[in-house]
Amino acid sequence: MSLEKTPIQLKLVYRGETNRMQTYPNQYYSLMILISDRLAVPGFGLCCGMGSCGTCLVQIADSHSSVKRTVLACDVPINDSLANTVIYIPDNIY
């Protein structure tokens, strides 16, 4: 049994700039923590992942589709389902 974890490639789009990211399953507790760690987004995730403020609202799209689903980043675990996705972070949090 291999203990190697397969890297997860994804893109974060913020203020028109695309940032390519690589992470690993469970490296971060949630997508909110990954975004907070990798990008300086003022006002993002003010309730620290409690799901009560809505400041971590993002849109997720498959890299081959224009269909986006809106989610709270604090509710999205870091796992293989994020592979090859594009995460859109709004310019204005509030």
Side-chain angles (χ1 to χ4, degrees):
M1 176 183 346
S2 174
L3 296 177
E4 279 189 45
K5 293 183 177 182
T6 304
I8 299 167
Q9 306 287 333
L10 56 100
K11 296 177 186 175
L12 301 177
V13 179
Y14 178 59
R15 292 191 172 172
E17 186 175 325
T18 300
N19 301 276
R20 295 178 190 276
M21 300 286 162
Q22 177 176 301
T23 189
Y24 293 90
N26 303 311
Q27 181 177 359
Y28 293 95
Y29 180 74
S30 69
L31 180 58
M32 184 202 77
I33 303 295
L34 181 146
I35 292 169
S36 296
D37 186 53
R38 304 277 182 100
L39 295 177
V41 180
F44 188 82
L46 290 178
C47 70
C48 299
M50 300 303 291
S52 62
C53 69
T55 60
C56 68
L57 205 62
V58 297
Q59 292 183 317
I60 300 178
D62 183 279
S63 61
H64 305 292
S65 172
S66 62
V67 176
K68 300 175 188 173
R69 61 185 173 101
T70 302
V71 298
L72 290 173
C74 64
D75 286 338
V76 179
I78 301 299
N79 58 36
D80 292 332
S81 69
L82 286 177
N84 302 312
T85 58
V86 182
I87 315 296
Y88 295 90
I89 304 162
D91 293 347
N92 298 316
I93 301 297
Y94 29 43

